[in-house]
Amino acid sequence: MNDKEEEKIVQHLKQDWQHIDDLGKESLSQLDMEKQLVLFQQKKKKAFYIESTLFLFTAVVILTVVIVSLFEAPLFFLYFQIAATLIAPFAVYFTYKKVNKKGMFDYDKS
């Protein structure tokens, strides 16, 4: 290589190093980090309340359907229980087989 090419490479490296140094100077202040932490906690709290409400609503609906079917149509409820008892082992077996085949965690192996 000639001197001009080496000088150009050195200049380019110096600019890159200066850019890396400048990136380190721009850091978050303690106050900014605390604000972000508070916002994150508020979002998590709101998500928890929404999920809890949906869970309770779903549970109430399911229990209401079960109780109504038990008292209004006991024969239907009995058939439903027998069908669930017969189908559940197959559902568990196929789910277990699928999880073991695919693995517990589905991740990109690349």
Side-chain angles (χ1 to χ4, degrees):
M1 279 194 255
N2 60 22
D3 291 335
K4 286 186 178 182
E5 288 178 10
E6 288 180 11
E7 190 175 311
K8 188 176 180 180
I9 292 172
V10 169
Q11 185 64 27
H12 186 62
L13 285 173
K14 283 182 182 180
Q15 288 176 351
D16 288 344
W17 290 335
Q18 183 63 39
H19 181 65
I20 291 172
D21 288 339
D22 291 341
L23 289 175
K25 291 177 185 176
E26 298 174 8
S27 63
L28 292 174
S29 69
Q30 184 72 20
L31 185 60
D32 289 337
M33 287 191 293
E34 288 176 4
K35 285 180 182 178
Q36 288 182 357
L37 181 62
V38 168
L39 288 174
F40 175 74
Q41 288 173 342
Q42 288 174 347
K43 287 180 182 179
K44 292 294 280 183
K45 194 175 195 179
K46 184 177 179 181
F48 173 75
Y49 285 132
I50 290 172
E51 289 176 9
S52 298
T53 303
L54 288 174
F55 172 77
L56 289 175
F57 177 73
T58 305
V60 167
V61 168
I62 290 172
L63 287 174
T64 302
V65 168
V66 168
I67 289 171
V68 167
S69 68
L70 177 63
F71 290 115
E72 295 297 323
L75 194 58
F76 172 74
F77 183 76
L78 181 64
Y79 291 148
F80 182 73
Q81 288 297 318
I82 291 171
T85 305
L86 294 175
I87 293 173
F90 294 109
V92 170
Y93 172 74
F94 288 119
T95 303
Y96 180 75
K97 189 175 177 181
K98 183 178 179 182
V99 167
N100 282 341
K101 181 180 177 185
K102 189 162 94 172
M104 180 60 90
F105 302 105
D106 189 24
Y107 60 92
D108 188 19
K109 295 181 181 180
S110 60

